[in-house]
Amino acid sequence: MLNFVYSGHQSFALRISWLPKAVAAIENNIDPFGNPREGMKHLGLGKNMVEALEFWVKASGVAQKTKAQWELSDFATKVLSRQDGLDPFLENQQTLWLLHWFLCRGWDDGETTIRPYAWHFLTNVFPDDEMVATEVVDHFAGAVSTQTKPLSAVTLRQHFDVFIRTYVAGESDVSKGTPEDTLDSPLATLNLIKRYGEKKFPNGKRETIFRIDCGPKPSFSIGAFRFCLQSWWNRSHPNEKQLTLRDISFSEDSPGRVFRLPETDIYARLVALTQNHPHEWRLVESQNQRGIERLEKTNADLLLKSIYERK
């Protein structure tokens, strides 16, 4: 079952220092979110930021609260741990691509998957490569119109704004707030979404156009693609031995949709996988379609270390 959320981030986009702070606290057996005042002390953040960070910790696949304590995910333990993590301070761009992957996937709460709606919109709903706030928020309003308690236009706009600020760098001005207020989201360095001029509406109003990068992404490694492909295959097609190029490019929650990759780039990646891991993958080509056969089902978490190995 899939449920969507439109709030919880308290209008704060993810900041570059937040996840490392949360991981360090949880590793030291501290619950940084149970008591806001304690969280403010341990994290060095204001109350609303602490509440926002709790949302981002869950949404980015870093940790979940089970029973009475927070537990780090395998991803956080292997990659973000201050003790022996592969990239505890988010310095490797593959970590940022993986965080984007987890945000689009959502987090599990029992038998329910919870996903921020803006990320579902980007991945599975919106087919174009350009967007403006008014049109997207109108779509959000339509998506929630059948709910028992429809959300306000302000809440929906905040959700879109937080989504945009997660990927698009803002203009920093220390005079407008604390140093923490001027930090951009780490995902802004992916350049997945950029400002692209303005759109003028019939009423004379102008709005910023945001363009999504739908081209090849050389900064997204074959190793990270392999991790995401195995993860998605295990969740969405666990009993399938073969999938087509079109499946991987356009199926719901697929790597092609999450990373907005063109088919040519995906095919090149599939070829690379079969060459680098012939025991795991076999290219399937016929007169009508191309695809790949999975020869070895792998727990995606076991592949995390290989993403960071220097060739």
Side-chain angles (χ1 to χ4, degrees):
M1 183 177 178
L2 181 60
N3 283 347
F4 300 117
V5 293
Y6 300 80
S7 58
H9 36 61
Q10 303 296 324
S11 78
F12 289 105
L14 179 64
R15 308 289 174 84
I16 193 167
S17 63
W18 283 8
L19 294 180
K21 287 181 178 182
V23 169
I26 294 170
E27 275 192 313
N28 289 316
N29 297 316
I30 295 169
D31 180 353
F33 308 117
N35 184 317
R37 290 192 177 279
E38 287 295 308
M40 292 168 64
K41 179 176 71 175
H42 292 295
L43 299 172
L45 302 175
K47 180 177 179 294
N48 288 343
M49 287 186 174
V50 171
E51 293 174 353
L53 179 51
E54 180 177 2
F55 167 88
W56 289 113
V57 162
K58 293 184 292 186
S60 61
V62 166
Q64 283 186 283
K65 191 168 186 179
T66 57
K67 297 182 180 179
Q69 64 182 30
W70 284 87
E71 292 186 4
L72 296 177
S73 64
D74 285 336
F75 164 69
T77 300
K78 293 176 180 177
V79 177
L80 303 180
S81 168
R82 292 283 183 95
Q83 298 172 10
D84 51 11
L86 297 162
D87 185 27
F89 299 106
L90 311 184
E91 297 171 310
N92 191 311
Q93 199 157 34
Q94 303 317 308
T95 304
L96 306 182
W97 283 117
L98 293 180
L99 288 173
H100 168 70
W101 171 258
F102 289 122
L103 285 168
C104 292
R105 191 180 75 177
W107 69 93
D108 294 330
D109 184 6
E111 297 182 355
T112 301
T113 296
I114 301 174
R115 182 180 298 167
Y117 185 76
W119 278 261
H120 178 75
F121 175 78
L122 172 73
T123 302
N124 295 311
V125 178
F126 189 64
D128 300 325
D129 62 353
E130 292 183 0
M131 62 175 73
V132 294
T134 296
E135 294 171 350
V136 174
V137 173
D138 283 348
H139 171 85
F140 287 3
V144 303
S145 61
T146 58
Q147 294 186 4
T148 305
K149 295 181 178 180
L151 299 174
S152 70
V154 172
T155 297
L156 298 179
R157 178 58 192 255
Q158 283 184 343
H159 186 53
F160 174 76
D161 288 344
V162 167
F163 167 74
I164 287 296
R165 293 202 307 274
T166 301
Y167 293 96
V168 180
E171 297 179 359
S172 297
D173 184 350
V174 177
S175 67
K176 293 182 180 180
T178 68
E180 191 72 41
D181 291 325
T182 66
L183 297 177
D184 280 326
S185 162
L187 301 190
T189 64
L190 296 177
N191 291 317
L192 183 62
I193 302 175
K194 295 181 179 180
R195 293 184 180 87
Y196 190 75
E198 291 185 334
K199 179 175 181 177
K200 184 177 180 180
F201 289 86
N203 62 3
K205 182 181 178 182
R206 293 179 179 271
E207 287 195 25
T208 300
I209 298 171
F210 296 100
R211 171 167 283 189
I212 303 166
D213 178 10
C214 296
K217 297 176 175 63
S219 68
F220 177 45
S221 72
I222 298 297
F225 176 79
R226 177 189 177 205
F227 168 88
C228 296
L229 180 59
Q230 281 281 14
S231 175
W232 169 70
W233 201 315
N234 290 341
R235 288 172 69 95
S236 301
H237 303 280
N239 300 318
E240 298 291 338
K241 291 186 177 181
Q242 294 184 6
L243 291 176
T244 67
L245 174 61
R246 186 168 184 82
D247 291 330
I248 298 166
S249 301
F250 301 111
S251 293
E252 186 168 313
D253 299 333
S254 66
R257 280 184 173 267
V258 169
F259 299 103
R260 288 299 186 104
L261 298 171
E263 283 188 87
T264 52
D265 187 21
I266 294 173
Y267 180 70
R269 291 171 182 274
L270 297 183
V271 171
L273 286 179
T274 62
Q275 294 174 343
N276 298 337
H277 308 283
H279 64 286
E280 188 175 329
W281 307 100
R282 183 177 73 85
L283 207 60
V284 177
E285 297 192 84
S286 68
Q287 193 171 13
N288 298 322
Q289 63 183 16
R290 296 181 292 184
I292 198 167
E293 179 178 358
R294 185 167 68 161
L295 305 175
E296 185 176 283
K297 185 176 181 179
T298 304
N299 183 328
D301 289 330
L302 299 177
L303 305 178
L304 281 169
K305 186 176 180 180
S306 66
I307 296 173
Y308 297 86
E309 290 175 350
R310 294 188 177 183
K311 304 297 184 183

